PDB file of all heavy atoms in Angstrom:
ATOM      1  N   ILE A  82       5.312   7.534  -4.292  1.00 96.00           N
ATOM      2  CA  ILE A  82       4.147   6.657  -4.439  1.00 96.00           C
ATOM      3  C   ILE A  82       3.563   6.432  -3.061  1.00 96.00           C
ATOM      4  O   ILE A  82       4.257   5.965  -2.162  1.00 96.00           O
ATOM      5  CB  ILE A  82       4.543   5.305  -5.064  1.00 96.00           C
ATOM      6  CG1 ILE A  82       5.323   5.508  -6.360  1.00 96.00           C
ATOM      7  CG2 ILE A  82       3.328   4.446  -5.290  1.00 96.00           C
ATOM      8  CD1 ILE A  82       6.770   5.114  -6.251  1.00 96.00           C
ATOM      9  N   LEU A  83       2.295   6.738  -2.878  1.00 95.00           N
ATOM     10  CA  LEU A  83       1.644   6.475  -1.621  1.00 95.00           C
ATOM     11  C   LEU A  83       0.961   5.116  -1.666  1.00 95.00           C
ATOM     12  O   LEU A  83       0.139   4.841  -2.544  1.00 95.00           O
ATOM     13  CB  LEU A  83       0.586   7.546  -1.295  1.00 95.00           C
ATOM     14  CG  LEU A  83       1.113   8.921  -0.878  1.00 95.00           C
ATOM     15  CD1 LEU A  83      -0.058   9.786  -0.427  1.00 95.00           C
ATOM     16  CD2 LEU A  83       2.140   8.824   0.225  1.00 95.00           C
ATOM     17  N   ASP A  84       1.297   4.280  -0.712  1.00 89.00           N
ATOM     18  CA  ASP A  84       0.770   2.918  -0.620  1.00 89.00           C
ATOM     19  C   ASP A  84       0.010   2.773   0.698  1.00 89.00           C
ATOM     20  O   ASP A  84       0.588   2.829   1.772  1.00 89.00           O
ATOM     21  CB  ASP A  84       1.927   1.922  -0.693  1.00 89.00           C
ATOM     22  CG  ASP A  84       1.569   0.507  -0.237  1.00 89.00           C
ATOM     23  OD1 ASP A  84       0.376   0.219  -0.096  1.00 89.00           O
ATOM     24  OD2 ASP A  84       2.495  -0.294  -0.040  1.00 89.00           O
ATOM     25  N   GLY A  85      -1.328   2.679   0.617  1.00 78.00           N
ATOM     26  CA  GLY A  85      -2.133   2.506   1.823  1.00 78.00           C
ATOM     27  C   GLY A  85      -2.727   3.793   2.376  1.00 78.00           C
ATOM     28  O   GLY A  85      -3.270   3.787   3.475  1.00 78.00           O
ATOM     29  N   PHE A  86      -2.632   4.846   1.608  1.00 88.00           N
ATOM     30  CA  PHE A  86      -3.195   6.148   2.041  1.00 88.00           C
ATOM     31  C   PHE A  86      -3.523   6.956   0.788  1.00 88.00           C
ATOM     32  O   PHE A  86      -2.708   6.984  -0.124  1.00 88.00           O
ATOM     33  CB  PHE A  86      -2.188   6.887   2.904  1.00 88.00           C
ATOM     34  CG  PHE A  86      -2.751   8.110   3.587  1.00 88.00           C
ATOM     35  CD1 PHE A  86      -3.227   8.048   4.899  1.00 88.00           C
ATOM     36  CD2 PHE A  86      -2.805   9.311   2.941  1.00 88.00           C
ATOM     37  CE1 PHE A  86      -3.730   9.164   5.526  1.00 88.00           C
ATOM     38  CE2 PHE A  86      -3.335  10.442   3.541  1.00 88.00           C
ATOM     39  CZ  PHE A  86      -3.790  10.361   4.851  1.00 88.00           C
ATOM     40  N   PRO A  87      -4.696   7.615   0.731  1.00 91.00           N
ATOM     41  CA  PRO A  87      -5.731   7.717   1.762  1.00 91.00           C
ATOM     42  C   PRO A  87      -6.695   6.542   1.743  1.00 91.00           C
ATOM     43  O   PRO A  87      -6.873   5.897   0.719  1.00 91.00           O
ATOM     44  CB  PRO A  87      -6.463   9.007   1.372  1.00 91.00           C
ATOM     45  CG  PRO A  87      -6.345   9.044  -0.118  1.00 91.00           C
ATOM     46  CD  PRO A  87      -4.988   8.467  -0.442  1.00 91.00           C
ATOM     47  N   ARG A  88      -7.338   6.311   2.886  1.00 82.00           N
ATOM     48  CA  ARG A  88      -8.342   5.249   2.993  1.00 82.00           C
ATOM     49  C   ARG A  88      -9.744   5.769   3.268  1.00 82.00           C
ATOM     50  O   ARG A  88     -10.689   4.997   3.300  1.00 82.00           O
ATOM     51  CB  ARG A  88      -7.924   4.280   4.118  1.00 82.00           C
ATOM     52  CG  ARG A  88      -6.660   3.501   3.815  1.00 82.00           C
ATOM     53  CD  ARG A  88      -6.362   2.514   4.905  1.00 82.00           C
ATOM     54  NE  ARG A  88      -5.200   1.685   4.584  1.00 82.00           N
ATOM     55  CZ  ARG A  88      -4.740   0.708   5.363  1.00 82.00           C
ATOM     56  NH1 ARG A  88      -5.336   0.445   6.510  1.00 82.00           N
ATOM     57  NH2 ARG A  88      -3.683   0.022   5.023  1.00 82.00           N
ATOM     58  N   THR A  89      -9.834   7.060   3.490  1.00 84.00           N
ATOM     59  CA  THR A  89     -11.148   7.691   3.679  1.00 84.00           C
ATOM     60  C   THR A  89     -11.175   8.995   2.912  1.00 84.00           C
ATOM     61  O   THR A  89     -10.121   9.551   2.549  1.00 84.00           O
ATOM     62  CB  THR A  89     -11.441   8.005   5.162  1.00 84.00           C
ATOM     63  OG1 THR A  89     -10.500   9.009   5.621  1.00 84.00           O
ATOM     64  CG2 THR A  89     -11.285   6.760   6.033  1.00 84.00           C
ATOM     65  N   VAL A  90     -12.376   9.513   2.644  1.00 89.00           N
ATOM     66  CA  VAL A  90     -12.486  10.789   1.944  1.00 89.00           C
ATOM     67  C   VAL A  90     -11.860  11.875   2.753  1.00 89.00           C
ATOM     68  O   VAL A  90     -11.211  12.797   2.232  1.00 89.00           O
ATOM     69  CB  VAL A  90     -13.969  11.097   1.602  1.00 89.00           C
ATOM     70  CG1 VAL A  90     -14.116  12.515   1.077  1.00 89.00           C
ATOM     71  CG2 VAL A  90     -14.509  10.106   0.611  1.00 89.00           C
ATOM     72  N   ASN A  91     -12.040  11.835   4.086  1.00 89.00           N
ATOM     73  CA  ASN A  91     -11.437  12.828   4.954  1.00 89.00           C
ATOM     74  C   ASN A  91      -9.905  12.852   4.770  1.00 89.00           C
ATOM     75  O   ASN A  91      -9.289  13.912   4.697  1.00 89.00           O
ATOM     76  CB  ASN A  91     -11.786  12.566   6.421  1.00 89.00           C
ATOM     77  CG  ASN A  91     -11.141  13.564   7.360  1.00 89.00           C
ATOM     78  OD1 ASN A  91     -11.390  14.757   7.265  1.00 89.00           O
ATOM     79  ND2 ASN A  91     -10.288  13.087   8.263  1.00 89.00           N
ATOM     80  N   GLN A  92      -9.324  11.669   4.712  1.00 90.00           N
ATOM     81  CA  GLN A  92      -7.878  11.585   4.516  1.00 90.00           C
ATOM     82  C   GLN A  92      -7.486  12.150   3.129  1.00 90.00           C
ATOM     83  O   GLN A  92      -6.465  12.838   3.004  1.00 90.00           O
ATOM     84  CB  GLN A  92      -7.400  10.147   4.615  1.00 90.00           C
ATOM     85  CG  GLN A  92      -7.430   9.569   6.030  1.00 90.00           C
ATOM     86  CD  GLN A  92      -6.980   8.120   6.086  1.00 90.00           C
ATOM     87  OE1 GLN A  92      -6.775   7.481   5.058  1.00 90.00           O
ATOM     88  NE2 GLN A  92      -6.821   7.607   7.282  1.00 90.00           N
ATOM     89  N   ALA A  93      -8.287  11.860   2.107  1.00 93.00           N
ATOM     90  CA  ALA A  93      -8.012  12.376   0.772  1.00 93.00           C
ATOM     91  C   ALA A  93      -8.056  13.899   0.762  1.00 93.00           C
ATOM     92  O   ALA A  93      -7.214  14.569   0.154  1.00 93.00           O
ATOM     93  CB  ALA A  93      -9.006  11.800  -0.226  1.00 93.00           C
ATOM     94  N   GLU A  94      -9.024  14.454   1.459  1.00 93.00           N
ATOM     95  CA  GLU A  94      -9.135  15.918   1.539  1.00 93.00           C
ATOM     96  C   GLU A  94      -7.992  16.516   2.318  1.00 93.00           C
ATOM     97  O   GLU A  94      -7.445  17.560   1.950  1.00 93.00           O
ATOM     98  CB  GLU A  94     -10.483  16.284   2.177  1.00 93.00           C
ATOM     99  CG  GLU A  94     -11.677  15.934   1.315  1.00 93.00           C
ATOM    100  CD  GLU A  94     -13.009  16.123   2.005  1.00 93.00           C
ATOM    101  OE1 GLU A  94     -13.017  16.234   3.262  1.00 93.00           O
ATOM    102  OE2 GLU A  94     -14.055  16.191   1.306  1.00 93.00           O
ATOM    103  N   ARG A  95      -7.585  15.850   3.408  1.00 91.00           N
ATOM    104  CA  ARG A  95      -6.444  16.338   4.193  1.00 91.00           C
ATOM    105  C   ARG A  95      -5.158  16.255   3.378  1.00 91.00           C
ATOM    106  O   ARG A  95      -4.293  17.116   3.469  1.00 91.00           O
ATOM    107  CB  ARG A  95      -6.294  15.497   5.471  1.00 91.00           C
ATOM    108  CG  ARG A  95      -7.400  15.721   6.477  1.00 91.00           C
ATOM    109  CD  ARG A  95      -7.313  17.095   7.109  1.00 91.00           C
ATOM    110  NE  ARG A  95      -6.056  17.298   7.796  1.00 91.00           N
ATOM    111  CZ  ARG A  95      -5.827  16.933   9.074  1.00 91.00           C
ATOM    112  NH1 ARG A  95      -6.791  16.331   9.767  1.00 91.00           N
ATOM    113  NH2 ARG A  95      -4.670  17.163   9.636  1.00 91.00           N
ATOM    114  N   LEU A  96      -5.043  15.227   2.566  1.00 92.00           N
ATOM    115  CA  LEU A  96      -3.869  15.057   1.705  1.00 92.00           C
ATOM    116  C   LEU A  96      -3.782  16.204   0.720  1.00 92.00           C
ATOM    117  O   LEU A  96      -2.724  16.779   0.482  1.00 92.00           O
ATOM    118  CB  LEU A  96      -3.966  13.711   0.974  1.00 92.00           C
ATOM    119  CG  LEU A  96      -2.718  13.235   0.233  1.00 92.00           C
ATOM    120  CD1 LEU A  96      -1.549  13.043   1.189  1.00 92.00           C
ATOM    121  CD2 LEU A  96      -3.009  11.925  -0.500  1.00 92.00           C
ATOM    122  N   SER A  97      -4.933  16.543   0.116  1.00 92.00           N
ATOM    123  CA  SER A  97      -4.941  17.675  -0.826  1.00 92.00           C
ATOM    124  C   SER A  97      -4.590  18.975  -0.126  1.00 92.00           C
ATOM    125  O   SER A  97      -3.860  19.804  -0.685  1.00 92.00           O
ATOM    126  CB  SER A  97      -6.350  17.793  -1.450  1.00 92.00           C
ATOM    127  OG  SER A  97      -6.656  16.654  -2.217  1.00 92.00           O
ATOM    128  N   ALA A  98      -5.079  19.137   1.100  1.00 91.00           N
ATOM    129  CA  ALA A  98      -4.749  20.343   1.871  1.00 91.00           C
ATOM    130  C   ALA A  98      -3.278  20.440   2.194  1.00 91.00           C
ATOM    131  O   ALA A  98      -2.737  21.545   2.343  1.00 91.00           O
ATOM    132  CB  ALA A  98      -5.589  20.372   3.170  1.00 91.00           C
ATOM    133  N   MET A  99      -2.606  19.277   2.269  1.00 88.00           N
ATOM    134  CA  MET A  99      -1.165  19.259   2.512  1.00 88.00           C
ATOM    135  C   MET A  99      -0.366  19.562   1.247  1.00 88.00           C
ATOM    136  O   MET A  99       0.857  19.691   1.296  1.00 88.00           O
ATOM    137  CB  MET A  99      -0.753  17.867   3.037  1.00 88.00           C
ATOM    138  CG  MET A  99      -1.211  17.572   4.455  1.00 88.00           C
ATOM    139  SD  MET A  99      -1.108  15.786   4.857  1.00 88.00           S
ATOM    140  CE  MET A  99       0.625  15.440   4.504  1.00 88.00           C
ATOM    141  N   GLY A 100      -1.060  19.692   0.118  1.00 88.00           N
ATOM    142  CA  GLY A 100      -0.402  19.987  -1.134  1.00 88.00           C
ATOM    143  C   GLY A 100      -0.075  18.770  -1.982  1.00 88.00           C
ATOM    144  O   GLY A 100       0.595  18.888  -3.016  1.00 88.00           O
ATOM    145  N   PHE A 101      -0.562  17.615  -1.558  1.00 90.00           N
ATOM    146  CA  PHE A 101      -0.298  16.389  -2.340  1.00 90.00           C
ATOM    147  C   PHE A 101      -1.494  16.100  -3.228  1.00 90.00           C
ATOM    148  O   PHE A 101      -2.511  15.597  -2.794  1.00 90.00           O
ATOM    149  CB  PHE A 101      -0.044  15.215  -1.398  1.00 90.00           C
ATOM    150  CG  PHE A 101       0.473  13.976  -2.125  1.00 90.00           C
ATOM    151  CD1 PHE A 101       1.801  13.648  -2.091  1.00 90.00           C
ATOM    152  CD2 PHE A 101      -0.401  13.158  -2.817  1.00 90.00           C
ATOM    153  CE1 PHE A 101       2.287  12.509  -2.721  1.00 90.00           C
ATOM    154  CE2 PHE A 101       0.062  12.014  -3.488  1.00 90.00           C
ATOM    155  CZ  PHE A 101       1.410  11.715  -3.430  1.00 90.00           C
ATOM    156  N   VAL A 102      -1.348  16.486  -4.506  1.00 91.00           N
ATOM    157  CA  VAL A 102      -2.381  16.217  -5.501  1.00 91.00           C
ATOM    158  C   VAL A 102      -1.789  15.199  -6.505  1.00 91.00           C
ATOM    159  O   VAL A 102      -0.828  15.496  -7.176  1.00 91.00           O
ATOM    160  CB  VAL A 102      -2.791  17.490  -6.245  1.00 91.00           C
ATOM    161  CG1 VAL A 102      -3.842  17.149  -7.315  1.00 91.00           C
ATOM    162  CG2 VAL A 102      -3.338  18.520  -5.281  1.00 91.00           C
ATOM    163  N   PRO A 103      -2.339  13.984  -6.541  1.00 95.00           N
ATOM    164  CA  PRO A 103      -1.741  12.933  -7.365  1.00 95.00           C
ATOM    165  C   PRO A 103      -1.869  13.185  -8.859  1.00 95.00           C
ATOM    166  O   PRO A 103      -2.822  13.818  -9.323  1.00 95.00           O
ATOM    167  CB  PRO A 103      -2.525  11.690  -6.951  1.00 95.00           C
ATOM    168  CG  PRO A 103      -3.856  12.209  -6.522  1.00 95.00           C
ATOM    169  CD  PRO A 103      -3.559  13.507  -5.849  1.00 95.00           C
TER     170      PRO A 103
END
Side-chain angles (χ1 to χ4, degrees):
I82 307 111
L83 287 188
D84 165 11
F86 190 95
R88 293 184 176 182
T89 66
V90 172
N91 178 60
Q92 289 180 351
E94 292 173 343
R95 290 291 299 274
L96 191 61
S97 297
M99 289 165 55
F101 190 101
V102 178

